[in-house]
Amino acid sequence: MPAGGFSVSAPAGVEFEAKITPIVIISCIMAATGGLMFGYDVGISGGVTSMDDFLIEFFPTVYRKKHEDKESNYCKYDNQGLQLFTSSLYLAGLTATFFASYTTRNLGRRLTMLIAGVFFIIGVIFNGAAQNLAMLIVGRILLGCGVGFANQAVPLFLSEIAPTRIRGGLNILFQLNVTIGILFANLINYGTSKIHPWGWRLSLSLAGIPALLLTLGALFVTDTPNSLIERGHLEEGKRVLKKIRGTENVDPEFNEIVEASRIAHEVKHPFRNLLLRRNRPQLVIAVLLQIFQQFTGINAIMFYAPVLFNTLGFKSDASLYSAVITGAVNVLSTLVSVYSVDKVGRRLLLLEAGVQMFFSQAIIAVILGIKVTDHSDNLSHGWAIIVVVLVCTFVSSFAWSWGPLGWLIPSETFPLETRSAGQSVTVCVNLLFTFVIAQAFLSMLCHMKYGIFAFFSGWVLIMSVFVLFLLPETKNVPIEEMTERVWKQHWFWKRFVDDDEHTLNGDAEKNGKISNVKHGI
């Protein structure tokens, strides 16, 4: 085996030879800039909505409530229009993902990423130049369309172009870039909050940098061999496979992709095929992972970190500064996942994080219940530091577990014939529940007060039990071998795959007998 490479064993005894080539690393980094754009959009809205200049321009009623002493500490930002500014992006992404499923399968992963970049750039222009609330919302909707296309294509691109042994780490580059985008947004908000009265415009406009990076990246990367072969470009697919694997010996992997593509083309209705019994394990797990990811409460914290810290009695600068700290913890902890996901596996990271997230949120609920009332906050400097540390503890555990793995596991478990449709459902469910949390969080905070953290910690307990009993390990399993090596070996899910195969074999045998009778055999 050539130096610098490794072999991936397949069940049939063949080996997929693959080097970690520069083109793989560069392509994955460029593709993952879609995560940078997504993260920036997530992080920027919370900081902007806490700026007085922005509130005076678009939400004067919220500005007045913010500065009224008679308003409950927990309810100062409870405004449906303000929540719509944040959540409209995710509702648009939810709609766009259905179109993105078509382009990903029929036009390729690369072109879908390019479309996402164009949407992002136009959306940034609308937001930065917004003169009224309508322009602001239109800009967020266009950004949401970009999110829908990027979240559909990027995880698939990363899973398909990466060698099996480092697939997890390279795929998590997407989530790493999400966290870097959030951190950059928090840093920029911290700086622009001091620029009056147009600092918020600069915050929204600087999203153009990651948007441009994604667009340029999509222009220069090559499409995946899986996508090229699926669309009938066999020779080009084989050439690209040789290039990204750094070897001429790609026939075993090429033949497996061709066979998977042949099976995929026999499926005329991939979304309908998703509902077949044999695809139920992947579908159920993908859907539940997205729901659970949002009900950890992470997006409530990352969207509204400055608003949340303001609510807890932090001054404006202190709240933005605390958001920067949590953003930095988010980035560093995601690096832990990049390093460990292909070594310790997916399940262990999720289970360990479940314990950490549960206790950190439960303790936050207790502290706020005792120290923060409706009309006065008693958080001393010491207690404020403890709250920030607990929030960072929660964010760190999410960043090396549910954040990246919520995207990684669905992208690597669907078979090729339903992969694009499965990713579409994954993105759709994620954005739907992201929208729900974004639209509801400030109202939930107003009505549930400190109990909102107890609410999310209860969900963390439920999802950890799910992982313990129903989530199989997919570490180091070739992407086209999931059925044989994962689903057929799992104590619960194997019944769905085996029963469906028995049904298919029975139907085939029955059809064969009918055919024989017709021909007088």
Side-chain angles (χ1 to χ4, degrees):
M1 185 172 61
F6 52 78
S7 297
V8 180
S9 296
V14 298
E15 290 190 338
F16 298 158
E17 187 177 310
K19 296 178 181 178
I20 305 175
T21 58
I23 190 171
V24 168
I25 303 299
I26 293 170
S27 295
C28 288
I29 291 172
M30 294 178 80
T33 53
L36 189 66
M37 186 68 219
F38 186 23
Y40 192 90
D41 286 334
V42 168
I44 208 69
S45 59
V48 165
T49 52
S50 71
M51 294 181 189
D52 284 349
D53 293 328
F54 178 81
L55 294 175
I56 291 169
E57 182 86 19
F58 298 104
F59 301 100
T61 57
V62 177
Y63 174 76
R64 287 192 294 270
K65 285 171 65 178
K66 178 181 176 182
H67 293 280
E68 284 180 0
D69 291 335
K70 66 180 181 179
E71 189 66 55
S72 167
N73 282 326
Y74 289 101
C75 298
K76 289 182 182 292
Y77 292 91
D78 181 19
N79 180 277
Q80 289 299 308
L82 186 64
Q83 291 176 127
L84 183 63
F85 165 69
T86 297
S87 64
S88 57
L89 182 148
Y90 306 99
L91 189 60
L94 168 66
T95 305
T97 190
F98 292 105
F99 299 96
S101 175
Y102 172 84
T103 61
T104 303
R105 183 169 186 173
N106 294 283
L107 302 179
R109 285 53 161 156
R110 173 180 168 273
L111 186 57
T112 303
M113 291 189 291
L114 183 60
I115 294 171
V118 172
F119 271 122
F120 279 137
I121 290 172
I122 299 173
V124 167
I125 293 171
F126 267 83
N127 270 177
Q131 299 299 312
N132 50 53
L133 186 58
M135 279 187 73
L136 203 63
I137 299 299
V138 168
R140 291 290 286 180
I141 288 172
L142 288 168
L143 290 174
C145 291
V147 166
F149 277 84
N151 286 13
Q152 171 75 14
V154 172
L156 288 184
F157 180 93
L158 296 174
S159 286
E160 291 177 346
I161 206 167
T164 302
R165 287 279 298 280
I166 59 167
R167 185 179 65 235
L170 288 183
N171 195 290
I172 290 174
L173 281 174
F174 178 74
Q175 183 64 24
L176 177 63
N177 275 270
V178 171
T179 63
I180 292 172
I182 293 171
L183 176 60
F184 280 172
N186 290 332
L187 287 168
I188 288 167
N189 281 334
Y190 183 73
T192 59
S193 65
K194 298 172 173 53
I195 303 174
H196 305 286
W198 51 271
W200 62 269
R201 288 191 186 277
L202 184 58
S203 287
L204 296 177
S205 298
L206 288 175
I209 296 174
L212 191 61
L213 287 174
L214 175 63
T215 308
L216 292 174
L219 286 172
F220 289 106
V221 299
T222 182
D223 217 335
T224 69
N226 309 62
S227 179
L228 291 166
I229 293 167
E230 185 181 17
R231 290 180 286 130
H233 307 299
L234 270 66
E235 289 303 317
E236 187 179 359
K238 191 170 188 177
R239 179 183 61 78
V240 171
L241 189 61
K242 290 178 180 179
K243 191 175 181 181
I244 65 174
R245 295 294 181 249
T247 178
E248 294 292 315
N249 183 26
V250 298
D251 286 343
E253 186 175 3
F254 175 76
N255 292 335
E256 184 165 290
I257 296 173
V258 170
E259 176 61 16
S261 179
R262 184 190 64 78
I263 296 171
H265 280 291
E266 292 177 359
V267 178
K268 302 302 180 185
H269 304 285
F271 282 98
R272 191 184 303 168
N273 188 263
L274 269 179
L275 301 177
L276 294 178
R277 187 175 174 85
R278 69 174 179 272
N279 292 322
R280 201 163 300 166
Q282 302 97 307
L283 181 61
V284 170
I285 285 175
V287 168
L288 287 180
L289 284 180
Q290 303 316 304
I291 296 173
F292 289 156
Q293 187 191 70
Q294 298 313 308
F295 277 89
T296 59
I298 185 64
N299 277 340
I301 290 175
M302 300 316 293
F303 290 158
Y304 299 112
V307 170
L308 181 63
F309 287 123
N310 256 333
T311 295
L312 302 182
F314 291 61
K315 300 303 181 185
S316 181
D317 281 356
S319 66
L320 287 168
Y321 185 65
S322 300
V324 169
I325 292 173
T326 57
V329 169
N330 200 12
V331 173
L332 294 174
S333 300
T334 304
L335 289 172
V336 173
S337 188
V338 172
Y339 174 78
S340 61
V341 67
D342 290 314
K343 293 180 173 64
V344 303
R346 285 65 162 149
R347 293 181 78 251
L348 184 61
L349 286 174
L350 290 170
L351 291 171
E352 184 281 330
V355 175
Q356 194 170 321
M357 288 192 291
F358 175 80
F359 283 107
S360 58
Q361 293 211 72
I363 296 171
I364 289 173
V366 171
I367 292 174
L368 298 190
I370 296 172
K371 294 292 182 180
V372 179
T373 64
D374 277 338
H375 297 290
S376 65
D377 64 82
N378 298 309
L379 277 181
S380 65
H381 182 70
W383 282 111
I385 291 174
I386 291 173
V387 169
V388 172
V389 169
L390 287 169
V391 169
C392 289
T393 301
F394 168 79
V395 169
S396 67
S397 56
F398 176 88
W400 64 56
S401 62
W402 284 94
L405 300 183
W407 292 110
L408 169 62
I409 293 171
S411 73
E412 67 183 3
T413 52
F414 283 104
L416 184 60
E417 64 266 22
T418 58
R419 192 169 299 154
S420 181
Q423 183 68 10
S424 182
V425 170
T426 299
V427 174
C428 178
V429 173
N430 183 282
L431 292 176
L432 173 62
F433 282 88
T434 303
F435 167 76
V436 169
I437 294 296
Q439 188 64 30
F441 175 70
L442 294 178
S443 297
M444 290 171 68
L445 182 64
C446 178
H447 291 90
M448 298 175 69
K449 301 180 173 59
Y450 61 86
I452 193 169
F453 290 98
F455 170 80
F456 286 129
S457 66
W459 275 100
V460 170
L461 184 61
I462 293 170
M463 62 187 71
S464 297
V465 172
F466 171 81
V467 171
L468 182 62
F469 291 105
L470 293 175
L471 186 70
E473 182 57 69
T474 55
K475 178 186 70 171
N476 292 341
V477 180
I479 198 169
E480 306 299 348
E481 302 293 342
M482 289 291 172
T483 298
E484 294 294 328
R485 295 175 60 175
V486 174
W487 308 117
K488 287 187 178 182
Q489 307 301 321
H490 191 268
W491 71 273
F492 180 78
W493 298 117
K494 67 180 180 180
R495 71 188 69 181
F496 293 92
V497 180
D498 290 342
D499 288 353
D500 202 56
E501 284 197 354
H502 292 155
T503 301
L504 289 172
N505 292 336
D507 289 344
E509 185 177 345
K510 181 179 177 181
N511 291 336
K513 288 179 179 178
I514 292 172
S515 178
N516 290 340
V517 169
K518 283 183 178 180
H519 290 86
I521 298 176

